[in-house]
Amino acid sequence: MLSAVVLASGLFSLTVGEREALVCPPQQYYQCLAEVPQTLRRDFPQSSEGVRQALGLRAAMAMPIDDNHFAGIILWAPKRLPSSISALWNDTVYQLPLQQQAQLTLWHELGHLEIKRLQRQNLLPQTLSTLEHEWLADAYMVWRSVQETGELTLAQQQLDRRNMAVFADIKNFSHWTALYLNQAVEQLDAQQVQHQPFAPWLVNLYQHTQQYNEDELQEFSGLLQRLFGMGRSQSLPDYMSWRRPTLGQVLAPTLRRVMGISAANQWMTEQNLLPKQSAARQ
């Protein structure tokens, strides 16, 4: 893993797969662009102001490119990253501390560059939705964190963060990668993952991960809004009852880590988020 000094510094380069990527603060964009191979510079935005506008208030943004040796540019503003995330539900504000968030964010952005490469090699579909791009980039982060640490702790934190973000604001649904990755992370064997190259591991994961169409995603979004949205009213435990057990499986690890096992199980039982046999044992 990179040191905190490097992560907080200015322009630097990284290797992702067998290609090079440049990581640069938005205020150093012109300097960064000068480091890009000359034949590829025209493929990137030429205006630093346009780049800053595209980045907005985000802490990072990947700009992948289709090339055998150069992966792309990552705009990098790590000081914008929070040290914790909080959300309100069950009449309580819950908070999740975030460890090594700069490193996780950088791995996620490198993941976007790798996903572009796998699309180019026809190992992934040429067209992916925003949410698909995000969960596949998070999958790279999961894989990379296991390579570096031999553990799943940081991967679990990232999925907790994704859940907490959508609890706090349904506008974060486009990055709700936990829907796809939670079961995989819960079942992964870190030692096995450490010995697998990224591309075959990801392709296998993608092929064995349940996909959801737009209507199904809208049902999950509506149910999350009902459970956690600011406009929530009385509890309606039978609302979208067919989606609740699946949603409960996705949310349960986060809820138990943040609320505590007993309180989380009680709340999930009240919200009809547990399988019937599990709820009966509470």
Side-chain angles (χ1 to χ4, degrees):
M1 291 190 289
L2 294 176
S3 69
V5 174
V6 172
L7 287 171
S9 66
L11 172 64
F12 59 95
S13 64
L14 290 174
T15 299
V16 53
E18 298 179 352
R19 300 184 299 165
E20 181 187 17
L22 284 174
V23 182
C24 62
Q27 66 271 20
Q28 292 182 252
Y29 181 68
Y30 286 133
Q31 179 184 348
C32 182
L33 196 60
E35 298 294 324
V36 174
Q38 188 170 3
T39 56
L40 302 176
R41 289 176 195 169
R42 64 181 179 275
D43 295 322
F44 291 97
Q46 301 300 301
S47 165
S48 63
E49 180 60 30
V51 164
R52 284 195 291 269
Q53 289 180 0
L55 180 63
L57 298 176
R58 289 178 290 174
M61 184 180 77
M63 295 190 291
I65 194 170
D66 189 358
D67 185 72
N68 290 328
H69 305 290
F70 187 69
I73 294 173
I74 295 174
L75 296 177
W76 185 235
K79 291 183 179 179
R80 299 179 183 180
L81 290 168
S83 59
S84 65
I85 185 170
S86 60
L88 169 66
W89 74 92
N90 194 34
D91 297 323
T92 304
V93 175
Y94 295 96
Q95 188 172 59
L96 174 72
L98 300 174
Q99 306 296 325
Q100 300 187 46
Q101 195 56 50
Q103 183 67 81
L104 296 184
T105 300
L106 188 55
W107 284 338
H108 172 86
E109 299 303 329
L110 290 173
H112 280 297
L113 304 185
E114 277 290 85
I115 299 314
K116 178 71 173 180
R117 177 179 69 86
L118 297 184
Q119 286 182 291
R120 178 170 170 256
Q121 295 175 350
N122 293 317
L123 295 174
L124 289 173
Q126 296 301 301
T127 301
L128 295 168
S129 69
T130 298
L131 183 54
E132 287 174 321
H133 272 288
E134 293 301 327
W135 85 256
L136 290 169
D138 260 359
Y140 177 84
M141 186 234 72
V142 169
W143 176 86
R144 184 68 180 267
S145 71
V146 173
Q147 303 304 308
E148 299 283 351
T149 69
E151 300 177 351
L152 290 165
T153 304
L154 293 176
Q156 291 166 339
Q157 176 186 283
Q158 181 76 346
L159 297 191
D160 289 343
R161 180 192 177 210
R162 296 303 193 191
N163 277 332
M164 290 287 287
V166 83
F167 297 168
D169 191 339
I170 196 61
K171 292 179 181 178
N172 293 315
F173 187 83
S174 63
H175 286 58
W176 186 47
T177 64
L179 176 63
Y180 294 97
L181 283 178
N182 185 76
Q183 290 188 26
V185 169
E186 292 295 313
Q187 297 171 7
L188 281 181
D189 183 316
Q191 290 186 339
Q192 290 183 359
V193 175
Q194 273 193 306
H195 294 93
Q196 296 183 48
F198 175 64
W201 176 81
L202 181 72
V203 170
N204 181 69
L205 179 66
Y206 182 79
Q207 292 173 345
H208 290 87
T209 297
Q210 181 176 350
Q211 306 297 314
Y212 296 96
N213 62 38
E214 189 60 31
D215 289 341
E216 292 169 327
L217 291 174
Q218 287 304 312
E219 289 179 348
F220 281 117
S221 176
L223 184 51
L224 285 164
Q225 182 75 3
R226 167 64 63 177
L227 291 169
F228 300 99
M230 293 300 292
R232 60 189 178 277
S233 53
Q234 74 273 21
S235 175
L236 296 173
D238 292 326
Y239 175 76
M240 289 195 184
S241 59
W242 61 94
R243 287 285 169 224
R244 288 183 180 246
T246 299
L247 182 63
Q249 290 177 349
V250 176
L251 304 186
T254 297
L255 293 173
R256 288 169 178 149
R257 280 190 281 266
V258 173
M259 300 177 72
I261 294 175
S262 179
N265 286 345
Q266 177 64 35
W267 187 80
M268 286 189 290
T269 299
E270 294 170 357
Q271 303 302 326
N272 200 18
L273 291 173
L274 290 174
K276 296 300 182 183
Q277 60 271 26
S278 297
R281 292 196 296 267
Q282 302 305 316

